[in-house]
Amino acid sequence: MRICVFLSAADLDDRYTRPARQFAEMLGKGGHTLVWGGSDVGLMKVVADGVQETGGRLCGVSVGFLAATARAGADEMVVARDLAERKRLLLEKSDAVVVMVGGTGTLDEATEILELKKHGHTDKPVVLLNTAGFYDGLQQQFRRMEDEGFLPRPLAHLVFFAEEPADALAHLEAVTPAAADAGQGAG
């Protein structure tokens, strides 16, 4: 499975890096491909290292003004013209999306795919990995949007909230056709 991960490029403490590394190692050991922003810094580096060191593949999509921080050893690296093209390519190259901790860029990426799902323009599963309660407020806001009629589809059809890395990957493997097809051939 090709799993797009939206996440921060910031250097973060262990409460965020440890679960991100754990998720990345599960991806690599499962033979999955990480599709990510391509940077070799901060949390993006932590996740790319974990995937690559455990046998997974790396597909990076950088953007011109960040190309200097792109990971040199990725299996595939594309440099987009701008952030809009980057988001489009990240989604095109993936079977599913996981949103990890991040700032405004991560939030922009997450809300764009949720908007696409809301309008039926994609059916890719989206998991919000709520590491250390980072997205508690956002989850509460989404529930309020649902309760007050702002979402035309049930929230559960748009996003799955996972508290632990293993729950995030298990959900994706259960609902993603690419994962199910791969699992049948692995027996």
Side-chain angles (χ1 to χ4, degrees), residues 1 95 172-187:
M1 182 170 26
D95 301 311
L172 293 179
E173 289 177 338
V175 301
T176 305
D181 294 344
Q184 290 174 355

Side-chain angles (χ1 to χ4, degrees), residues 124-140:
K124 293 178 185 185
V126 178
V127 174
L128 198 145
L129 184 53
N130 191 23
T131 302
F134 186 80
Y135 286 120
D136 285 351
L138 185 59
Q139 186 173 8
Q140 180 181 359

Side-chain angles (χ1 to χ4, degrees), residues 102-136:
T104 56
T106 303
L107 192 56
D108 173 60
E109 293 162 339
T111 55
E112 179 155 332
I113 189 155
L114 293 177
E115 189 68 8
L116 290 170
K117 281 192 78 167
K118 182 179 91 174
H119 292 289
H121 292 286
T122 185
D123 60 353
K124 293 178 185 185
V126 178
V127 174
L128 198 145
L129 184 53
N130 191 23
T131 302
F134 186 80
Y135 286 120
D136 285 351

Side-chain angles (χ1 to χ4, degrees), residues 12 19 25 27 34-35 41 52 62 86 97 130 147 156 178:
L12 302 170
E25 290 174 355
L27 288 186
L34 170 68
V35 180
V41 295
Q52 197 167 45
S62 189
R86 183 190 203 188
V97 174
N130 191 23
D147 292 345

Side-chain angles (χ1 to χ4, degrees), residues 10-29:
D11 289 319
L12 302 170
D13 66 46
D14 188 59
R15 70 186 154 148
Y16 299 123
T17 58
R18 186 180 29 75
R21 174 76 186 202
Q22 181 185 5
F23 181 77
E25 290 174 355
M26 288 187 289
L27 288 186
K29 288 175 185 172

Side-chain angles (χ1 to χ4, degrees), residues 67-90:
T69 64
R71 187 177 183 102
D75 297 292
E76 177 184 352
M77 183 64 67
V78 177
V79 178
R81 288 184 312 272
D82 55 31
L83 291 172
E85 182 183 44
R86 183 190 203 188
K87 286 187 290 188
R88 182 182 58 77
L89 290 170
L90 285 165

